[in-house]
Structures are given as C-alpha cells and as structure tokens.
Amino acid sequence: MDDPHIRVLPALDFDNEFFWTSGKDSVLRFLRCAECEVLVHPPVPFCAKCGGRPEPVAVSGRGSVYSFTVNHQAWDGTTDPYVIALVAIEEQPDVRLTTNVVDCEPDDVHIDMPVEVVFADHDPIYLPLFRPVTPGAGR
C-alpha cells in the first residue's frame, strides 16, 4: 500500500528481521514460544514466561483497536490528521502493536473496532498497519 508519511524505519537485527520483513508476503508473524506457546513481542531470543526458545509463526492479521489517539500535527510531512493506535492481536489480546489505522476517517475509529493488517512497503521493511474489517469479510 502507498504510505504518504515520512517514517523513521526500524533497524533490522537477528531478533527482529523476520517481523519487519514478513509483510513482503502479506502475512503478519510473531514469535511463539515452542515450550508454552505464548506469543512473544517485541521479538527477543527467549520467552519471558518459561525461558523457552520462540520461533516465528504466522497469525491471522486480525485484531481490535485497544486504544488510539488522532494526530493533528503536521510534523511528518502530511497535513491530514491520522490515527495512532494500539491494536490487540486476535490470537493473544495482551500482545499489542503500536501502529496506524488506515483506510477510514479518524472520526470513525473506536475502541474494540475490528481491524485487519495491511503492509506499507518500504522494502525490505514492511510496516504493519491496520484497516477496518469490511462487514461480511469472514469475521
């Protein structure tokens, strides 16, 4: 998807490269502990719950808006307000991403709004953003 915002892109390293590049195939991935099966985010080489070794796994890419704010400042090169949100991931709601909600008006965003992932292409980095789920789209 096109991304009109000026963004500071994350630095890739051994622990996080899978996360920032996984959007190339339009699939959101997190680490999942091989021992206790909890999702581990942000990416680290061990599970904080049991000490197990996490491995990347694909998730549905669906979630809900946990919290949000609307930015009205033009500090990033755009003049339109946009939504900065915490999105709770469907598979494990205590895993939340700070992201943007796109493809809707800021006034239409609300807490518990169902959303799905889309990716902003900054090859080799693909930023996970979220858009409202279209009614009747399998939710």
Side-chain angles (χ1 to χ4, degrees):
M1 80 171 277
D2 290 333
D3 190 3
H5 301 282
I6 297 169
R7 299 197 186 260
V8 176
L9 298 176
L12 299 179
D13 63 30
F14 180 79
D15 294 325
N16 72 21
E17 184 173 6
F18 83 92
F19 178 78
W20 294 116
T21 61
S22 72
K24 185 171 187 167
D25 62 0
S26 299
V27 176
L28 183 61
R29 291 177 178 84
F30 288 99
L31 291 177
R32 174 172 282 139
C33 179
E35 303 295 320
C36 69
E37 297 189 351
V38 302
L39 294 178
V40 176
H41 191 75
V44 292
F46 62 89
C47 173
K49 182 176 179 183
C50 76
R53 302 285 298 170
E55 299 172 351
V57 296
V59 296
S60 67
R62 294 184 304 268
S64 61
V65 174
Y66 180 80
S67 182
F68 71 97
T69 189
V70 178
N71 181 72
H72 295 275
Q73 300 298 321
W75 66 270
D76 69 343
T78 64
T79 57
D80 294 332
Y82 60 92
V83 176
I84 302 166
L86 280 178
V87 169
I89 301 306
E90 185 174 83
E91 287 81 356
Q92 187 176 317
D94 65 340
V95 172
R96 300 177 188 132
L97 287 180
T98 302
T99 184
N100 298 122
V101 175
V102 297
D103 295 344
C104 71
E105 293 299 317
D107 288 344
D108 294 337
V109 176
H110 57 87
I111 301 299
D112 293 329
M113 178 178 170
V115 291
E116 62 189 359
V117 74
V118 293
F119 293 92
D121 181 351
H122 295 273
D123 192 17
I125 293 168
Y126 294 82
L127 298 174
L129 309 175
F130 287 80
R131 67 179 174 207
V133 171
T134 305
R139 270 193 73 89

